Amino acid sequence: MILIDGKATSEKIRSEIAVAMQQRKAEGKKIPHLAAVIVGNNGASQTYVNSKVKACELVGFTSSLIELPESVTEGELLEKIDELNKNNEIDGFIVQLPLPQHIDEQKVILSIDPNKDVDGFHPVNVGKMTLELPTLLPATPFGIMELLERYQIKTAGKNVVVVGRSNIVGRPMSILLSQKRKVGDATVILTHSKTKDLSNYTKQADIIIAALGKPEFLTGDMVKEGVVIIDVGITRIEDLSKKSGYKIVGDVHFESVSPKASYYTPVPGGVGPMTIAMLLKNTLIACDLEK
Ligand code: GUN
């Protein structure tokens, strides 16, 4: 079994971006500027956003962190987004999800300028992705495509089972892998919480993308020998043997599944680090788009 090293791959991508930055500077091109908006004080979201901002600094991008209180109104948030849309200095921005209950997430996503939507969540970008037109791809699926490509994992004609239909991971992943792309041409089945007899599907899968958000859900008896496992889950569970009192696990039960797998993205250190690297890549792409 080969462990797919997302940390090393993401570092490689970051150094590629740093090289591209040197060239941009030499050519006098604009330095990419990413802004991140965070609402409230959800601990996990704060950690993610801080990592995104820090990653920008490390590759030489400019970054801005916009922190809004939990009590911000939908109107105030939309005003902030309008400002970012109009600010020529900002090349791309993200609004970290989830948002508080009183704010309509879809309305917020719709208000983002598609050419600054480095998360690839706006319907214009989702539509372009679906039609195989060049666009900003959502960072986690983009990162998974990059891992499959760099590890030369064949997808053409393979049976792929995606578990979970979220707009951020499961659904875009199912669309991308079914397309005529370098990484694509797969036969894709998108499964979800209402799927009957999930095992019947996962046991047929050459590649499983687990993105349902249930810790250690997929077990060894549900997969076939030689399966490629892409584990997108990331959950903290109690572990009193650790100093911190918790450990991070994926949606796949490592101990029972890894002996049967040919490739495996571990948690942590697999898909996770790739998300930020691809966000940087999208920011670089957005910087050169007409706004
Ligand atoms: N919340 C969880 N993942 C993401 C992501 O990729 N982008 C944003 N904006 N919020 C998220």
Side-chain angles (χ1 to χ4, degrees):
M1 191 261 300
I2 294 173
L3 275 179
I4 297 179
D5 191 338
K7 191 162 177 280
T9 310
S10 73
E11 278 160 14
K12 187 149 190 295
I13 292 169
R14 286 183 208 206
S15 63
E16 289 164 9
I17 294 172
V19 169
M21 282 298 293
Q22 291 308 318
Q23 184 144 6
R24 287 186 80 84
K25 277 185 191 156
E27 291 168 0
K29 286 190 179 162
K30 184 178 181 305
I31 304 295
H33 185 160
L34 175 78
V37 180
I38 179 160
V39 179
N41 31 33
N42 174 325
S45 289
Q46 280 172 328
T47 309
Y48 292 140
V49 169
N50 288 334
S51 316
K52 290 173 183 179
V53 169
K54 193 161 158 237
C56 282
E57 283 156 19
L58 288 174
V59 293
F61 290 4
T62 314
S63 62
S64 304
L65 177 60
I66 297 147
E67 294 173 283
L68 300 172
E70 182 86 17
S71 60
V72 74
T73 66
E74 188 179 276
E76 286 164 343
L77 177 58
L78 293 174
E79 243 171 67
K80 190 76 215 168
I81 291 171
D82 192 43
E83 255 175 55
L84 294 169
N85 284 339
K86 288 179 179 150
N87 184 342
N88 290 333
E89 174 49 33
I90 307 275
D91 300 294
F93 65 96
I94 60 155
V95 179
Q96 189 65 23
L97 305 178
L99 291 168
Q101 290 267 316
H102 64 276
I103 298 176
D104 180 346
E105 228 159 72
Q106 285 309 319
K107 212 164 162 182
V108 168
I109 291 170
L110 269 170
S111 72
I112 299 172
D113 176 346
N115 285 339
K116 294 193 178 190
D117 169 37
V118 283
D119 264 329
F121 291 169
H122 190 284
V124 164
N125 289 326
V126 177
K128 285 185 177 174
M129 174 193 72
T130 305
L131 296 172
E132 300 185 43
L133 298 170
T135 188
L136 297 160
L137 295 178
T140 302
F142 193 9
I144 293 170
M145 300 289 277
E146 198 76 22
L147 285 176
L148 292 170
E149 183 175 346
R150 291 186 189 230
Y151 276 80
Q152 297 179 359
I153 295 167
K154 294 217 165 27
T155 55
K158 300 292 181 190
N159 291 331
V160 173
V161 171
V162 179
V163 190
R165 57 182 156 186
S166 72
N167 290 338
I168 297 184
V169 185
R171 193 177 314 279
M173 214 54 243
S174 70
I175 292 169
L176 290 167
L177 285 170
S178 71
Q179 293 179 333
K180 289 180 191 164
R181 296 177 168 266
K182 195 155 40 167
V183 176
D185 285 330
T187 306
V188 182
I189 296 180
L190 178 57
T191 66
H192 47 75
S193 54
K194 296 289 189 291
T195 298
K196 291 211 174 84
D197 301 324
L198 180 67
S199 271
N200 283 346
Y201 299 102
T202 54
K203 275 187 201 157
Q204 306 285 327
D206 301 307
I207 302 172
I208 298 178
I209 317 278
L212 68 158
K214 286 194 181 160
E216 299 179 325
F217 174 83
L218 194 83
T219 48
D221 56 318
M222 298 169 77
V223 305
K224 72 172 185 184
E225 209 57 55
V227 67
V228 174
I229 295 289
I230 305 293
D231 189 351
V232 188
I234 173 161
T235 312
R236 275 184 186 190
I237 60 169
E238 188 179 289
D239 181 351
L240 297 175
S241 72
K242 301 256 176 192
K243 218 166 104 189
S244 59
Y246 68 85
K247 65 173 176 175
I248 306 275
V249 299
D251 288 349
V252 182
H253 185 250
F254 186 83
E255 284 71 22
S256 61
V257 175
S258 61
K260 295 175 94 173
S262 55
Y263 290 85
Y264 198 112
T265 63
V267 178
V271 173
M274 292 298 289
T275 300
I276 294 185
M278 304 323 281
L279 175 68
L280 297 175
K281 213 161 174 171
N282 273 346
T283 306
L284 198 55
I285 297 169
C287 189
D288 293 329
L289 293 176
E290 292 275 335
K291 308 254 175 32

